[in-house]
Amino acid sequence: MKLSVVVPDWKDPLLIKTIDSLLDNSELGDQLEIIAVIDGYEPFFELKPNPRVKYLKLEKNRGMRGAINAGVEAAQGEFIMRTDEHCIFGKGYDRILIETCE
């Protein structure tokens, strides 16, 4: 795994659009994993299944830092990126990030 993207979430209906943007604009294929951290609530929207997306459901709300830490702990990528649950990404964002970091 090359890149893990951690997306902490607290009841934001735009989470799925953010995940779609991450997937649609990725150039890494199966070398990308997205970890959506559902921070202590039951989602009121559909969580779409995708082999590159892990939904980490926390039993209790841990807050932003706790959710990020839980996502990082679950990450398997060589690089870790964290983003908010209401962001949109440009084509190749992951390749650009990795090239810049290397």
Side-chain angles (χ1 to χ4, degrees):
M1 190 66 54
K2 196 69 170 173
L3 177 65
S4 298
V5 180
V6 176
V7 187
D9 176 59
W10 171 249
K11 299 183 178 182
D12 194 322
L14 297 176
L15 173 65
I16 300 304
K17 285 188 178 188
T18 298
I19 291 170
D20 287 344
S21 179
L22 287 163
L23 292 170
D24 293 345
N25 292 301
S26 172
E27 293 181 357
L28 291 180
D30 63 357
Q31 289 299 300
L32 171 74
E33 75 172 346
I34 299 168
I35 303 168
V37 184
I38 310 300
D39 192 12
Y41 74 96
E42 190 58 41
F44 51 91
F45 45 83
E46 183 182 353
L47 301 176
K48 296 189 217 175
N50 186 298
R52 295 188 292 169
V53 180
K54 296 178 185 175
Y55 294 101
L56 179 58
K57 293 184 180 181
L58 305 180
E59 290 183 25
K60 298 179 23 175
N61 179 273
R62 295 188 196 176
M64 179 70 72
R65 184 175 295 168
I68 292 167
N69 289 342
V72 168
E73 189 174 313
Q76 297 177 352
E78 179 181 345
F79 295 96
I80 298 175
M81 172 183 149
R82 179 261 192 227
T83 188
D84 289 328
E85 69 268 59
H86 48 259
C87 295
I88 301 296
F89 297 88
K91 193 73 175 162
Y93 72 91
D94 47 0
R95 178 189 46 78
I96 294 166
L97 176 70
I98 288 170
E99 287 173 358
T100 302
C101 288
E102 287 178 331

